Amino acid sequence: MEYNFLEIEGKWQRYWADRGTFRVDIDAAKPKYYVLDMFPYPSGAGLHVGHPLGYIASDIFSRYKRLKGFNVLHPMGYDAFGLPAEQYAIQTGKHPEATTTQNVARYREQLDKIGFSYDWSREVKTCDPAYYKWTQWAFLQMFNHWYNLDTQRAEPIAELEARFAAEGNAQVHAACSETPRFSAEDWASMDEAARSAVLMNYRIAYQGETSVNWCPALGTVLANDEVKEGISIRGGHPVEQKKMKQWQLRVSAYAERLLTDMEDLEWTDSLKDMQRNWIGRSQGAEMIFKVSNGSEEFDMTIFTTRADTVFGVTFMVLAPESEWVEKLTRPEKKEEVEAYLLAARKKTERERMAETRKVTGVFTGSYAKNPFTGEEVPVWVSEYVLSGYGTGAIMAVPAHDSRDYAFARQFNLPIIPLIEGADVSQESFDAKEGIMCNSGFLNGMSVQEAIPAAIDRVEAMGIGQRKINYRLRDAIFSRQRYWGEPFPIYFKEGIPCPIPVEALPLTLPEVDKFLPTESGEPPLGRAKDWTYEGYPIEKSTMPGFAGSSAYYLRYMDPHNDEALVGREANQYWRNVDLYIGGTEHATGHLIYARFWNKFLYDLGHVCEKEPFRKLVNQGMIQGRSNFVYRIKNTNTFVSLGLKDQYETTEIHVDVNLVNNDRLDTEAFRAWMPDYAEAEFILEDGEYICGWAVEKMSKSMFNVVNPDRICEEYGADTLRMYEMFLGPLEQSKPWDTKGIDGVHRFLRKVWKLFFREGESLIEEGAADKKALKVLHKLIHKVETDIENFSFNTSVSAFMIAVNELTDLQCHQREILEPLTILLSPFAPHLAEELWEALGHSESISSATFPTYVEAYTVEDTCEYPVSFNGKMRFKLTLSKSLTPKEVEALALADPNCEKYLAGAPVKKVIVVPAKIINIVY
RNA sequence: GCUCUGGUGGUGGAAUAGGUAGACACGCAGGACUUAAAAUCCUGUGGGCAGCAAUGCCCGUACGGGUUCGAUUCCCGUCCGGAGCACCA
């Protein structure tokens, strides 16, 4: 009987499913451990061999933790709302739900083949009404709360209303959109619509006019993290800026907490860095400049981090979208300015980026007064100032800011250096170092002293104060699409009102087509009777990140109909101990989920401040593409080594037609009709293909399907090989040819247990050498798993099994712990061997073996001896010797005499148990 | 431009509180078994030089310096790759 992996794997997968081996429940007697994978979007293409990498790692860790006595929550589900299913629906008319259901089934089938230890009874799908009920519920909570800066938490909007009625809004410190001041009397005199408009400025989920990323091809707005280089991430369509009224989440209110709470998380520095970067905290000051357009004078506020450079302000710049532009444009400049604004508006985000280096701008004709010097400086308008950051207006200090410098050079504006010795003839001096000059009362101070001193003066003069700005913007939360969660909001005489929680879920209606309506409304505009109590319901849907922001909470208590997560379940499972997924979510999902969690924490619905304690980012598995070389204008293909003799075109060839870079020429001819008559120029009788590492994708014909690997080699081989490929965090190419080594290893394990169908398992005491091999392995595997160094673990297994094979070791005393060690990696094989060892329970209820150091310590140790740092010979001596004794024995060794050859010895260095270095 | 990463054989990668670089695996070469192939097993495999040989010597962890008896590992500089942010005042 050979190692029949197909039979074994089928058998144990059925066993696990039938017995519900991996179902977990709250068990107060055991410590909990929550291992989570980032759930997949079930795409039509199915899984390729790169997708399960993280899942395998998390599964190994889950199984390991179970063996260590933890009650492990390890669930899986699907991020099932999203654009691809909808785009497909537009093309084919097939309902996204049907497509999604089909894809989910396919994913499940593929996942099951790999033998994961998920508790499938906890599966969630974000498009399931029973699930998105809680997404809608969370939205309503955000709608009904505001962020109080005094208490630094979300509080009920009803309390805010009471405060408005009692005292107006002057004393309310909230994270809010700009709202004019009003008194209690003003509030009393407002009608319902006016009050609603005011409250909207305070809600955490609010509707507001803002500049958004509009994607005409997709017909929807997108969040910042869904756009990259002016192109939509899904679909790759151009994106432009447009002012629109949209639902938004006030994520910016949580900026500081998102930043500080990150400190205690076990995330990689680079990921924390990305989040810090995205949040973009910057400390500075707001400062008022008096500006005049000749007829009227205004107070204009700007933000700066370099208050120390006020003496070098030689002009001011407004963002084209700034409301100040209109106020400050002089009649004689009107035409010029408007032409500039029009040109700026017409540009897409992408064009703006392409022109980053081009300096453009226009003078408004107005002047601002420097509050420190009283000097008048011109006010310009330029694209390089962003409307969304700070106040959309800046003071320009060309000597010490490279962007201002470029602008000043372009338009011949003066440049005044403020730091001693700074040469600004060629470029600006941006560094925050040096001694101030030309700066009145700041002269002689270092920059570090001058910044606070300048702000102190600004505050004393009553023209500004310290201010912290964040780059993090509020998340745009509505999408003009069909396949997403409907908003539980209806409009009563135009006033947005929440649909009561009892009426949730508000299920997605049927539509005849998945396209916008003729009048340009989102697809939900097509739904018949899309109303609540006769009033129209919001027609946008929620974005992809809505459903993925709290799914880890739902897994704790997936069938609870009363709450997103019940108190008991939440108190027990608390938060995710280990989260595995890709870095691509660093600035999207991982920010939103943290925000969502913090909001629910403020409301007392969850007991932990942070959702994900430890985070591991698995690398991408890239494809390894193969190429053939066609001689130009022929149907003849030349082998890699000879291609330079011809003029050739490189063509991707399906990696499944290639074995070890040798092309199966017959299969190639059969592959596509174009190649049926192909001729080949071979070398050594073979066609050698070129290769390159690229993204795994259909168009490059380098996709390897895990199903195929499972059929040919088995899931256990796949699991171990994926781990063996290299460090988990690192990106690396998939190359099927290396898989044999791992497969051979598993067969060797099999051979320790069976020969020709007969069990080899022996009772009785094992050899000392075998015990040493085993205990070294226990130690190595344990530390490796704890450090997520799975690749070196696999190597350690290989070495150990080779040694045990050489020792002809078949004792239960060795084989039993070995099987347990192996079970997280190759669970099917381990179960089979465990059964052969006479156990009737699943190996997942076994206990991880304990490492006994005594079995592995050596009583001797090697002392390499070096002369002047050069290693010459080794001594094997007792471990218990003192450095002095080792030194004496080393000098007495005949080799030493030989090498020293009478040279005078200056000193002998003994590094404990390692090297003796003799200097002469 | 800024931030973060990384650079080791033909390939994937081992080894860093500084201590025999290249574990393990793939590939390749040779051998055993076989009528043959597959499978399996064994041996060799960084480069160079010397030797019939066992073996010995030299060079090697992107490049150039530094610290050290000793550097793939620590420090400084340069080059190249990958990721993220990108006019954030």
Side-chain angles (χ1 to χ4, degrees):
Chain A
M1 185 173 63
E2 268 291 287
Y3 166 43
N4 186 342
F5 52 86
L6 281 179
E7 197 177 291
I8 293 170
E9 289 174 3
K11 170 179 163 187
W12 292 101
Q13 282 164 15
R14 274 191 304 278
Y15 175 98
W16 296 329
D18 293 348
R19 310 278 179 109
T21 306
F22 303 113
R23 280 191 69 151
V24 277
D25 285 303
I26 293 175
D27 179 355
K30 277 185 177 178
K32 69 98 189 185
Y33 202 89
Y34 186 176
V35 183
L36 183 64
D37 292 300
M38 288 186 186
F39 65 170
Y41 174 80
S43 84
L47 293 171
H48 67 60
V49 111
H51 294 119
L53 179 72
Y55 306 157
I56 294 170
S58 68
D59 197 61
I60 289 173
F61 204 78
S62 302
R63 289 175 181 271
Y64 165 76
K65 277 287 178 185
R66 271 186 213 109
L67 296 174
K68 282 281 188 181
F70 287 85
N71 193 26
V72 178
L73 176 57
H74 187 40
M76 185 44 111
Y78 304 96
D79 186 15
F81 272 134
L83 279 177
E86 182 165 353
Q87 291 294 86
Y88 187 71
I90 291 169
Q91 287 159 21
T92 63
K94 210 172 166 192
H95 198 286
E97 188 172 2
T99 315
T100 304
T101 306
Q102 195 182 329
N103 292 347
V104 162
R106 170 96 184 99
Y107 264 59
R108 176 65 190 274
E109 196 184 314
Q110 287 190 294
L111 290 171
D112 279 346
K113 276 192 185 160
I114 305 173
F116 293 121
S117 61
Y118 293 124
D119 177 357
W120 284 108
S121 74
R122 292 174 183 263
E123 179 189 273
V124 301
K125 285 193 279 274
T126 54
C127 65
D128 182 349
Y131 177 89
Y132 68 66
K133 171 180 175 177
W134 298 106
T135 311
Q136 291 172 332
W137 168 84
F139 172 82
L140 286 181
Q141 300 306 309
M142 291 179 197
F143 182 82
N144 286 324
H145 284 79
W146 63 291
Y147 196 84
N148 187 342
L149 291 174
D150 291 333
T151 57
Q152 280 296 324
R153 52 180 287 229
E155 292 177 2
I157 207 96
E159 289 174 17
L160 184 67
E161 282 182 83
R163 272 182 80 176
F164 286 167
E167 53 171 66
N169 71 346
Q171 295 307 311
V172 173
H173 300 120
C176 60
S177 315
E178 208 173 309
T179 312
R181 279 202 180 178
F182 59 84
S183 64
E185 291 75 47
D186 296 335
W187 177 256
S189 67
M190 286 183 208
D191 63 11
E192 206 186 332
R195 285 183 181 181
S196 164
V198 168
L199 289 174
M200 194 53 95
N201 290 338
Y202 288 83
R203 297 181 193 278
I204 287 174
Y206 66 100
Q207 209 179 16
E209 183 93 5
T210 183
S211 182
V212 299
N213 303 302
W214 172 255
C215 179
L218 294 171
T220 185
V221 301
L222 297 167
N224 282 347
D225 67 282
E226 292 170 320
V227 181
K228 208 166 160 188
E229 290 170 0
I231 295 282
S232 72
I233 287 181
R234 288 271 155 108
H237 306 288
V239 170
E240 54 193 52
Q241 295 300 300
K242 201 172 168 183
K243 273 236 167 186
M244 288 178 89
K245 197 175 180 187
Q246 296 292 334
W247 285 100
Q248 297 174 60
L249 301 185
R250 213 175 291 282
V251 180
S252 60
Y254 285 82
E256 190 63 35
R257 283 165 66 187
L258 288 170
L259 209 53
T260 52
D261 290 347
M262 207 159 55
E263 297 304 320
D264 304 325
L265 299 178
E266 286 178 61
W267 294 17
T268 58
D269 289 340
S270 68
L271 198 87
K272 284 185 181 179
D273 232 76
M274 273 192 230
Q275 290 220 341
R276 272 187 215 111
N277 212 311
W278 190 259
I279 295 166
R281 181 183 203 269
S282 90
Q283 207 162 357
E286 277 188 345
M287 205 184 292
I288 293 170
F289 277 68
K290 294 238 178 274
V291 288
S292 165
N293 61 9
S295 47
E296 251 186 297
E297 197 172 81
F298 308 94
D299 282 350
M300 187 172 83
T301 307
I302 57 99
F303 173 76
T304 181
T305 55
R306 292 296 300 274
D308 58 312
T309 60
V310 187
F311 288 91
V313 174
T314 55
F315 56 101
M316 311 288 286
V317 190
L318 306 173
E321 298 84 2
S322 168
E323 54 184 26
W324 291 101
V325 176
E326 202 191 321
K327 291 182 191 161
L328 296 179
T329 300
R330 291 241 193 164
E332 68 271 21
K333 291 282 182 183
K334 199 165 178 192
E335 209 172 307
E336 209 183 326
V337 170
E338 277 180 359
Y340 182 77
L341 296 187
L342 192 68
R345 207 172 302 142
K346 272 166 78 179
K347 281 186 206 167
T348 64
E349 183 83 345
R350 194 166 169 74
E351 284 166 333
R352 269 205 194 194
M353 285 188 188
E355 293 170 11
T356 296
R357 306 272 159 241
K358 252 194 226 166
V359 181
T360 63
V362 62
F363 179 41
T364 60
S366 293
Y367 288 85
K369 198 186 213 173
N370 186 321
F372 280 25
T373 63
E375 206 178 325
E376 301 258 308
V377 294
V379 180
W380 287 67
V381 178
S382 174
E383 280 185 305
Y384 86 88
V385 174
L386 304 175
S387 65
Y389 184 78
T391 62
I394 62 150
M395 63 177 211
V397 186
H400 302 291
D401 183 288
S402 54
R403 297 152 302 181
D404 297 346
Y405 187 89
F407 195 83
R409 281 279 178 230
Q410 176 77 24
F411 296 104
N412 269 322
L413 295 158
I415 297 166
I416 309 170
L418 305 168
I419 293 173
E420 282 176 19
D423 173 15
V424 295
S425 60
Q426 296 303 316
E427 54 180 3
S428 61
F429 181 86
D430 291 15
K432 289 185 186 177
E433 57 192 38
I435 303 299
M436 305 299 298
C437 62
N438 300 333
S439 297
F441 71 96
L442 298 172
N443 283 341
M445 291 187 197
S446 72
V447 171
Q448 291 308 324
E449 293 162 348
I451 294 174
I455 302 177
D456 286 344
R457 179 67 65 94
V458 166
E459 289 185 334
M461 289 164 73
I463 54 162
Q465 66 279 313
R466 286 185 160 72
K467 165 94 183 178
I468 293 165
N469 256 325
Y470 300 93
R471 239 178 46 118
L472 184 71
R473 309 287 157 82
D474 289 344
I476 295 162
F477 200 60
S478 35
R479 299 289 181 274
Q480 290 64 42
R481 302 291 298 204
Y482 174 75
W483 192 230
E485 300 87 348
F487 280 79
I489 293 286
Y490 66 96
F491 295 91
K492 192 170 169 182
E493 273 101 48
I495 299 169
C497 303
I499 288 175
V501 168
E502 305 79 64
L504 299 183
L506 174 67
T507 51
L508 202 52
E510 289 306 318
V511 291
D512 56 344
K513 272 190 230 164
F514 304 101
L515 289 168
T517 64
E518 280 65 32
S519 57
E521 280 188 323
L524 290 191
R526 296 176 175 275
K528 282 198 192 92
D529 197 30
W530 186 232
T531 57
Y532 179 78
E533 294 189 342
Y535 300 108
I537 301 177
E538 168 68 47
K539 294 186 182 72
S540 331
T541 53
M542 298 186 195
F545 68 81
S548 59
S549 289
Y551 76 111
Y552 60 92
L553 290 170
R554 191 62 183 162
Y555 280 138
M556 296 176 186
D557 199 4
H559 308 295
N560 191 332
D561 204 34
E562 303 300 314
L564 166 64
V565 53
R567 189 161 300 271
E568 193 199 356
N570 184 243
Q571 293 277 348
Y572 182 74
W573 297 112
R574 308 196 72 82
N575 57 5
V576 176
D577 294 286
L578 173 65
Y579 196 24
I580 297 190
T583 15
E584 66 271 21
H585 298 107
T587 51
H589 163 65
L590 287 174
I591 295 260
Y592 299 130
R594 292 181 63 215
F595 154 76
W596 207 280
N597 186 86
K598 284 182 189 306
F599 171 73
L600 295 175
Y601 173 82
D602 284 352
L603 270 55
H605 293 295
V606 302
C607 61
E608 289 283 351
K609 275 194 260 189
E610 283 287 334
F612 316 119
R613 277 223 47 73
K614 182 180 169 80
L615 186 96
V616 173
N617 293 117
Q618 92 274 23
M620 289 244 292
I621 290 197
Q622 295 139 318
R624 188 179 187 280
S625 312
N626 277 114
F627 302 106
V628 291
Y629 303 92
R630 178 159 68 186
I631 300 172
K632 282 228 164 114
N633 307 316
T634 69
N635 206 5
T636 303
F637 295 82
V638 57
S639 184
L640 177 69
L642 307 170
K643 80 176 169 83
D644 293 343
Q645 299 167 19
Y646 305 87
E647 207 183 323
T648 58
T649 320
E650 191 177 71
I651 299 172
H652 276 95
V653 60
D654 190 339
V655 291
N656 296 301
L657 307 179
V658 179
N659 187 5
N660 192 19
D661 293 338
R662 310 295 197 274
L663 180 70
D664 180 339
T665 52
E666 282 314 306
F668 180 73
R669 285 198 179 106
W671 183 38
M672 281 188 194
D674 283 4
Y675 303 141
E677 304 296 320
E679 298 290 325
F680 301 95
I681 298 174
L682 308 175
E683 46 184 322
D684 301 330
E686 287 179 319
Y687 190 98
I688 315 282
C689 298
W691 63 274
V693 172
E694 296 175 304
K695 193 174 163 358
M696 202 174 270
S697 100
K698 261 187 179 166
S699 62
M700 309 208 190
F701 302 109
N702 59 7
V703 176
V704 180
N705 188 320
D707 302 357
R708 207 192 111 196
I709 303 292
C710 285
E711 280 157 31
E712 273 182 49
Y713 299 93
D716 286 335
T717 301
L718 173 70
R719 292 169 61 109
M720 288 201 96
Y721 185 54
E722 293 227 0
M723 293 300 106
F724 182 68
L725 272 178
L728 184 62
E729 295 90 339
Q730 197 174 300
S731 287
K732 57 243 162 191
W734 174 271
D735 189 356
T736 305
K737 82 181 176 199
I739 204 167
D740 286 324
V742 172
H743 191 63
R744 230 168 262 157
F745 157 74
L746 291 175
R747 280 209 301 258
K748 279 183 196 165
V749 173
W750 182 261
K751 284 182 187 166
L752 283 176
F753 288 73
F754 304 103
R755 185 184 298 135
E756 287 156 15
E758 295 295 311
S759 169
L760 296 172
I761 301 162
E762 292 169 15
E763 304 300 328
D767 194 282
K768 235 193 166 166
K769 281 185 195 156
L771 278 166
K772 185 173 153 188
V773 171
L774 173 71
H775 283 269
K776 259 166 71 184
L777 184 65
I778 295 172
H779 188 61
K780 176 78 177 150
V781 169
E782 181 163 353
T783 50
D784 276 354
I785 293 181
E786 297 279 357
N787 296 321
F788 291 86
S789 181
F790 300 121
N791 54 327
T792 51
S793 264
V794 178
S795 294
F797 272 118
M798 290 177 174
I799 295 168
V801 166
N802 279 338
E803 284 173 359
L804 293 176
T805 305
D806 289 346
L807 291 168
Q808 298 192 13
C809 169
H810 306 292
Q811 279 82 22
R812 167 185 300 278
E813 191 184 356
I814 303 294
L815 297 185
E816 208 157 79
L818 177 72
T819 308
I820 298 172
L821 288 183
L822 191 63
S823 68
F825 295 86
H828 311 86
L829 174 61
E831 290 279 18
E832 184 74 14
L833 300 177
W834 194 242
E835 191 183 54
L837 285 161
H839 297 275
S840 57
E841 288 296 303
S842 162
I843 195 167
S844 61
S845 53
T847 303
F848 197 84
T850 313
Y851 164 60
V852 180
E853 199 183 359
Y855 288 120
T856 62
V857 263
E858 318 256 358
D859 38 7
T860 60
C861 114
E862 276 184 349
Y863 292 87
V865 178
S866 71
F867 298 91
N868 281 357
K870 219 155 255 184
M871 245 270 304
R872 293 297 167 84
F873 64 96
K874 282 181 286 188
L875 288 170
T876 304
L877 299 171
S878 162
K879 214 175 182 179
S880 57
L881 294 175
T882 64
K884 269 264 174 259
E885 290 165 327
V886 173
E887 185 187 318
L889 287 163
L891 287 169
D893 191 282
N895 275 315
C896 190
E897 273 176 52
K898 183 174 116 199
Y899 289 119
L900 281 174
V905 176
K906 281 190 201 149
K907 64 171 177 177
V908 181
I909 301 160
V910 180
V911 181
K914 283 202 172 156
I915 273 203
I916 323 173
N917 196 354
I918 301 175
V919 181
Y920 62 94

